[in-house]
Amino acid sequence: MQGNITLTMIKPDAMRSGYIGKILDHIVSGGFSIRAAKVLHLTHYQAEKFYLVHKDRPFYRDLVEFMSSGPILAAVLEKENAVDAFRQLIGSTDPAKAETGTIRNLYGASIQENAVHGSDSDENALIEAAFFFNQFERV
Ligand code: CMP
């Protein structure tokens, strides 16, 4: 059975470019309910922890630097089959390859500075949601 939540981050590039409102509107218009949200600035350590699964990838160091370079918005989103539905809404990791009209196509700058994160599995959605929010911070 597919889960009904996913975890997103609006990344520092999109926050700096002032796309927060447009991206949230795109998400809500796409049928997702926002069950929790907050703006925060990840520390270097927190960014390392969040992306630990990528620690052996060549881009890991740069990714950690980038994700701790400025404020982000983290949110738990709800919709039927949320992980897959959200990945469709945001498009491919590389904005240059993302389908027209997807969030990364519209607002992403590069494969690293790709505007938003979306969980890649139901299991990771639960882990990532718990990374940012406790039970009293979610509805
Ligand atoms: P995200 O969906 O948050 O998951 C891992 C992140 O690593 C990804 O978005 C990009 O920001 C980054 N990333 C993935 N592949 C590459 C790559 N080849 N080069 C640089 N950054 C990457």
Side-chain angles (χ1 to χ4, degrees), residues 21-67:
K22 287 191 163 90
I23 291 174
L24 286 174
D25 184 45
H26 200 126
I27 290 169
V28 173
S29 298
F32 290 85
S33 301
I34 298 174
R35 313 304 295 186
K38 64 180 159 196
V39 173
L40 72 157
H41 190 147
L42 287 172
T43 64
H44 198 269
Y45 175 75
Q46 289 169 331
E48 278 183 342
K49 291 293 262 187
F50 186 87
Y51 281 115
L52 203 57
V53 62
H54 294 306
K55 70 177 179 355
D56 296 326
R57 307 289 287 274
F59 56 81
Y60 179 64
R61 284 284 126 213
D62 283 348
L63 178 61
V64 168
E65 286 300 322
F66 164 58
M67 288 303 296

Side-chain angles (χ1 to χ4, degrees), residues 63-95:
L63 178 61
V64 168
E65 286 300 322
F66 164 58
M67 288 303 296
S68 57
S69 70
I72 63 161
L73 180 139
V76 176
L77 307 176
E78 184 179 48
K79 189 182 182 181
E80 198 180 321
N81 193 10
V83 167
D84 287 347
F86 193 65
R87 288 170 77 79
Q88 279 186 29
L89 192 79
I90 65 180
S92 302
T93 304
D94 184 353

